[in-house]
Amino acid sequence: MERVMVYIDGFNLYYALRERRWQRYYWLDLQSFSKSLLTTWQELAGVRYFTARVVAEALDPQKPVRQNTYLEALDTLEGLHINYGYFVPKTVRCYNCGETRRTFEEKMTDVNIAVEMLSDAGDDKFDTAIVVSADGDLAGPVEAIRNRYHSKRAVVAFPPEKHSARLRDAASASFAIGRTKFRDSLLPDQVTRDDGYVLTRPVRWA
């Protein structure tokens, strides 16, 4: 069997689902979802999920609570590892009116994905890497795996309505993820932690 490691760009996937108004799929079982991307001759060697803890917003103060509930639910899955980046504040100016506002920018996701992919390739943890993202900045590590490890493949799985020609050209192969993969890969509405605490799917994601 061919060993496959799946690397999921959390925010790239999140924004793809948000743009499609597919909030119901935020409560995604990443292990089941990753298995759905495999062929019959492949086996899942592991899943790496890359995200950062969001900051509370004035219009949505419960956003970090919902995310934390989801992250705790993911912690109950075997074979899944979460890699964290972080947010930094920045000020943006409106070109039309000149007003400024404070926002946050996520950092380290693409760097963390690159580091983990190349480290796993060097440690021979996979035969094929599947990258769930449409971030063109990941073309570098994807191409490096192909050039440095000739027996390994780096495949890109594009989130809904997302695409990067640069990333596609760097990869061994690429494909778009259909809605069925999300619909059939959801966590139960209630997930129980090891300590018995029950995590409930956020109402807003129903």
Side-chain angles (χ1 to χ4, degrees), residues 31-155:
Q31 190 176 58
S32 176
F33 169 71
S34 296
K35 287 180 179 178
S36 76
L37 304 178
L38 308 187
T39 60
T40 55
W41 63 84
Q42 295 176 323
E43 62 180 0
L44 188 63
V47 182
R48 297 194 185 280
Y49 179 61
F50 301 83
T51 188
R53 292 192 178 275
V54 299
V55 181
E57 301 172 356
L59 296 177
D60 190 2
Q62 291 298 307
K63 195 172 185 178
V65 177
R66 293 194 299 273
Q67 185 199 37
N68 188 66
T69 299
Y70 179 55
L71 293 174
E72 288 192 26
L74 291 181
D75 276 336
T76 67
L77 303 177
E78 293 185 7
L80 183 143
H81 181 77
I82 303 177
N83 294 72
Y84 289 98
Y86 56 89
F87 281 93
V88 295
K90 72 173 185 177
T91 300
V92 295
R93 181 183 298 274
C94 176
Y95 290 108
N96 293 324
C97 66
E99 290 187 0
T100 60
R101 65 182 179 88
R102 188 170 181 264
T103 185
F104 292 88
E105 183 178 11
E106 184 271 331
K107 294 288 188 180
M108 288 298 291
T109 289
D110 52 354
V111 174
N112 287 338
I113 293 175
V115 169
E116 293 298 330
M117 285 179 61
L118 291 168
S119 294
D120 289 345
D123 293 339
D124 192 29
K125 290 186 176 180
F126 64 78
D127 302 304
T128 293
I130 295 181
V131 183
V132 179
S133 180
D135 185 349
D137 289 341
L138 294 175
V142 165
E143 190 171 19
I145 287 175
R146 293 185 60 197
N147 292 337
R148 185 177 179 86
Y149 305 98
H150 301 295
S151 64
K152 300 186 184 302
R153 301 172 71 242
V155 176

